Amino acid sequence: MCPMMCVRVLVVALLAASCFIVVSLAESIQLVLLGVVFASMSSGFGEVTFLSFTTRYHKSTVGGWSSGTGNTAVGVAIMDGCVIRGAAGVGGSVIYTVLTLYLTPRVAILLQVALPILMGVAYLFLLTTPHQQVAKVDRDIIVSSEDEKSIQLQSLDGKREQMYSTKVTGIRIKSAGAWLGAQTRYVPNLFPYMVPLFIVFAAEYMINQGLFELLYYRNTSLGTWCLDGHLQYRWYQVVYQVGVFLSRTSVIIFQMPFYWVLSLLQVANFQLLFCEAIYGFIPSFWITISIVLFEGLMGGAVYANAFYYITKQVPAVNREFSMGVAAVADSLGVVTAGFASIGIHNYICTV
């Protein structure tokens, strides 16, 4: 097992555990916010780490990762030998919602410290080594425009595999800095993947962070439970994560080449729920929660298909670096939505 990857996974697990501990024991808003920072750092660093790591396995692994990811909790599953955060969004939101029916939120959060511990154990003791058919990237080649050749990469099982055609000089890169420079120059080619990711995450997290708590319906019940504002908010999160899980899983079965259109539909979702928060024209909680399900479906589909097509269309020598860079786009979308949601929430409250 790669020592550097072990360190990175350990950091992710420690940050996640710190989040649960700090938030559950916090007595002030400052400590709660510190716990939220730990959660965001764990989620963001974990996403970049594991998405890049999937390139060392079979291409179908990214579909398993997409199916398993979610940003509200950390769970673990093993698929095709690769650690993924297993159905994390659905699992985390459902576990928390159910636990808080019987326990205090403080205890419910503290119990989930076991999840990042399980993630670390799974990586160290259950994860298999990368499949042999994954080619080893030669970082010694500088791309230029002199001689057009087919680059041959040596695979781990000794076979040679033609990965792509380009123009090379045969000049050798002498340092990691030069390799990084060559990879960085490829980043503009990733914008067609990154822009839809940014848009869809910005729109859906403006909904989740700025609007969910304002979408409240009186006299709503689920079976014998009366759904007050707190429970309605939690069920919005559960249904949203169900939509994300379903659409991210769908990439294993079929793909959407024009997934960027879905990011525009997500903007329409935001506009619709923004108007609902102000005017209250939707008569039922159940109609709104159906829209929230659609929101999850759109967001998950863009995420899964963007990374799927990166694994299919980006040259092998750029693929691992590209997966990590593209993951930054959705994080930027979430950060943008976080700041925008403060203004959106305050504006609606003054209308």
Side-chain angles (χ1 to χ4, degrees):
M1 199 65 66
C2 175
M4 183 56 65
M5 274 298 299
C6 290
V7 171
R8 296 176 72 174
V9 172
L10 178 62
V11 171
V12 172
L14 288 176
L15 286 170
S18 299
C19 155
F20 291 128
I21 294 171
V22 171
V23 171
S24 63
L25 301 180
E27 298 292 345
S28 66
I29 188 63
Q30 290 82 2
L31 283 177
V32 171
L33 292 176
L34 177 62
V36 172
V37 169
F38 286 150
S40 297
M41 292 174 64
S42 174
S43 177
F45 187 53
E47 183 174 45
V48 171
T49 297
F50 288 120
L51 266 173
S52 299
F53 198 50
T54 61
T55 61
R56 305 184 186 186
Y57 291 82
H58 191 274
K59 291 181 179 180
S60 63
T61 304
V62 74
W65 161 267
S66 297
S67 175
T69 50
N71 291 323
T72 59
V74 180
V76 178
I78 303 298
M79 175 176 288
D80 197 26
C82 182
V83 171
I84 61 175
R85 289 178 292 172
V90 178
S93 56
V94 169
I95 289 171
Y96 179 74
T97 300
V98 172
L99 286 177
T100 52
L101 293 174
Y102 306 99
L103 303 171
T104 64
R106 186 185 299 271
V107 174
I109 293 174
L110 190 58
L111 288 175
Q112 296 188 68
V113 173
L115 296 178
I117 296 174
L118 181 60
M119 179 180 67
V121 170
Y123 178 82
L124 292 174
F125 300 106
L126 299 180
L127 180 65
T128 61
T129 55
H131 298 316
Q132 288 188 333
Q133 66 264 32
V134 177
K136 180 167 54 180
V137 174
D138 183 356
R139 296 184 177 180
D140 288 339
I141 298 176
I142 283 183
V143 175
S144 74
S145 58
E146 293 186 5
D147 300 314
E148 186 164 351
K149 301 177 182 177
S150 293
I151 291 181
Q152 305 282 335
L153 297 180
Q154 184 72 36
S155 62
L156 298 181
D157 61 1
K159 299 178 182 178
R160 301 189 68 82
E161 179 183 3
Q162 181 172 315
M163 303 304 295
Y164 67 96
S165 295
T166 187
K167 298 178 180 180
V168 299
T169 64
I171 300 175
R172 296 287 169 177
I173 294 177
K174 301 300 184 182
S175 67
W179 173 84
L180 180 61
Q183 294 288 357
T184 302
R185 288 192 292 274
Y186 188 80
V187 169
N189 296 286
L190 300 176
F191 288 168
Y193 310 100
M194 296 175 70
V195 171
L197 281 169
F198 174 83
I199 293 174
V200 77
F201 271 81
E204 69 186 77
Y205 276 86
M206 283 191 290
I207 295 173
N208 295 358
Q209 299 177 21
L211 301 180
F212 272 0
E213 65 270 30
L214 301 175
L215 300 172
Y216 170 63
Y217 298 84
R218 293 181 173 83
N219 302 320
T220 301
S221 62
L222 178 62
T224 58
W225 289 307
C226 178
L227 298 183
D228 59 13
H230 296 294
L231 281 177
Q232 287 183 32
Y233 176 84
R234 291 167 191 163
W235 282 110
Y236 286 143
Q237 294 290 351
V238 170
V239 171
Y240 161 74
Q241 295 295 347
V242 168
V244 170
F245 171 72
L246 292 175
S247 58
R248 290 190 181 186
T249 302
S250 69
V251 76
I252 300 173
I253 305 171
F254 63 90
Q255 296 79 45
M256 304 176 187
F258 301 103
Y259 58 87
W260 58 268
V261 175
L262 304 182
S263 63
L264 303 181
L265 291 177
Q266 195 72 297
V267 174
N269 275 341
F270 166 75
Q271 293 172 332
L272 175 62
L273 293 176
F274 177 79
C275 292
E276 164 61 12
I278 295 176
Y279 302 109
F281 57 87
I282 298 177
S284 170
F285 166 78
W286 303 108
I287 296 176
T288 298
I289 210 168
S290 299
I291 298 171
V292 170
L293 176 64
F294 182 68
E295 173 206 349
L297 291 171
M298 296 301 98
V302 172
Y303 181 96
N305 282 275
F307 287 109
Y308 174 83
Y309 282 105
I310 288 175
T311 64
K312 297 287 288 186
Q313 297 170 351
V314 171
V317 292
N318 304 112
R319 195 171 297 148
E320 182 173 348
F321 183 83
S322 297
M323 293 287 274
V325 170
V328 175
D330 63 71
S331 297
L332 287 175
V334 174
V335 171
T336 302
F339 285 107
S341 294
I342 298 173
I344 291 169
H345 183 95
N346 293 338
Y347 170 76
I348 294 174
C349 290
T350 58
V351 172

